[in-house]
Amino acid sequence: MAPTSTPQTPFGRVLTAMVTPFTADGALDLPGAQRLAAHLVDAGNDGLVVNGTTGESPTTSDAEKEQLVRAVLEAVGDRAFVVAGVGTNDTRHSVELARQAQAAGAHGLLAVTPYYSKPPQEGLYRHFTTVADATGLPVMLYDIPGRSAVPVETETLVRLAEHPRIVANKDAKGDLASASWVLARTDMVYYSGEDMLNLPLLSIGAVGVVSVVGHLVSAELRAMIDAFTAGDVAKAREIHQRLLPVYTGIFRTQGVILTKAALGLQGLPAGPLRLPLIEADEAQIAQLRQDLSAGGVEL
């Protein structure tokens, strides 16, 4: 049975964009994925996003993506939302992945802006609505022009919000003005997709986070969100400032690289990365230790 969803928090408040553990020889580590998923939910996550960028989705096969969704659902699907990343820059392929995720039992879909091909806004609108029409699952958009090259413009987001299954946006655009207008004009729910902006986005109406640093500080993120929603802005700000070294540290290079390094330091499943991503070197790991220690993370 899926966890309880509400229109205000369709996927909960604290979600982690989960890495995909691999074995030493680079194969999918399904037992490790289940152990990591259980650890993250025990740490306070309402949901997990699998097969996203942090899950190295560009380098996993469709079959591996399905196996991962099924494994994580088996481990935590009765107590956390499992949202499957289905984003590609090929609408037909995204539709196939969406239907595969629904068949596997996913609770929702994450659809990133098509990258590299730089479609116009009407192309983005048609892409997202076609994916949303392909299944009965709720869809979270993922607006991240730093990776996709094209932002989803405010008017496009307002149009997309009219679709009955496009219920949320993972915002990593860094444009608080656009987010403010979409929140003011629609019922679309916002989740912060950029850890450094978690608190600023909450301040304009976001309900939660889809976090990378959630691998390490889920309890702190929940405490910050709880404090803010309870009206204790000073406490929320104090937690935000305490986490700044973690936010900075994990993203000194590509986030998956240092997240997997941190998980390895904690003895949690992570394993190697698939090219073109590479493992952190000794200097990066030494700096990571300093950053995490400064942010209160025990290794």
Side-chain angles (χ1 to χ4, degrees):
M1 176 179 290
T4 302
S5 175
T6 71
Q8 294 76 29
T9 54
F11 306 107
R13 290 190 183 274
V14 180
L15 295 89
T16 290
M18 198 178 93
V19 303
T20 299
F22 297 125
T23 61
D25 63 358
L28 192 63
D29 179 6
L30 293 176
Q34 291 185 315
R35 185 157 71 92
L36 179 60
H39 166 80
L40 291 172
V41 175
D42 290 344
N45 281 276
D46 299 314
L48 301 172
V49 174
V50 298
N51 296 328
T53 310
T54 308
E56 296 177 75
S57 59
T59 59
T60 57
S61 69
D62 290 2
E64 288 175 324
K65 288 178 172 64
E66 180 179 16
Q67 292 168 26
L68 188 63
V69 170
R70 291 185 183 276
V72 172
L73 279 162
E74 181 181 321
V76 299
D78 60 339
R79 57 195 184 106
F81 295 98
V82 178
V83 180
V86 298
T88 74
N89 59 354
D90 173 357
T91 304
R92 289 180 299 176
H93 189 195
S94 293
V95 165
E96 292 170 1
L97 290 175
R99 290 173 175 160
Q100 173 181 280
Q102 178 174 250
H107 301 135
L109 306 175
L110 179 74
V112 72
T113 309
Y115 39 84
Y116 186 72
S117 52
K118 299 179 73 171
Q121 293 298 305
E122 182 62 24
L124 297 184
Y125 176 81
R126 295 186 194 182
H127 171 85
F128 286 128
T129 55
T130 299
V131 173
D133 286 340
T135 78
L137 295 176
V139 175
M140 181 189 297
L141 307 177
Y142 186 12
D143 186 9
I144 181 166
R147 292 184 184 274
S148 67
V150 178
V152 188
E153 294 178 0
T154 302
E155 294 302 323
T156 306
L157 287 163
V158 170
R159 289 178 68 198
L160 289 166
E162 297 173 358
H163 194 288
R165 284 185 295 283
I166 297 177
V167 299
N169 183 29
K170 177 185 176 185
D171 183 74
K173 185 159 56 184
D175 185 344
L176 296 178
S178 174
S180 296
W181 274 114
V182 176
L183 286 163
R185 295 173 60 190
T186 75
D187 293 326
M188 185 179 285
V189 173
Y190 264 56
Y191 290 86
S192 172
E194 185 172 354
D195 279 309
M196 190 64 81
L197 295 182
N198 286 342
L199 183 57
L201 277 162
L202 289 174
S203 76
I204 62 168
V207 303
V209 301
V210 179
S211 173
V212 175
V213 303
H215 286 92
L216 307 166
V217 291
S218 293
E220 290 82 354
L221 292 175
R222 176 164 298 283
M224 181 179 70
I225 293 168
D226 287 348
F228 186 85
T229 56
D232 193 344
V233 177
K235 181 178 179 181
R237 184 171 61 246
E238 185 275 325
I239 296 171
H240 168 74
Q241 291 175 347
R242 183 166 11 113
L243 292 177
L244 290 176
V246 182
Y247 295 160
T248 296
I250 285 294
F251 294 102
R252 287 187 185 274
T253 184
Q254 209 276 358
V256 185
I257 294 173
L258 293 179
T259 299
K260 281 197 163 184
L263 290 171
L265 292 173
Q266 292 186 323
L268 290 165
L273 296 96
R274 289 182 176 174
L275 286 170
L277 299 183
I278 58 173
E279 277 69 52
D281 61 29
E282 291 184 7
Q284 288 172 322
I285 292 174
Q287 179 64 59
L288 178 64
R289 286 181 179 275
Q290 293 180 28
D291 292 330
L292 298 183
S293 177
V297 177
E298 295 184 4
L299 296 174

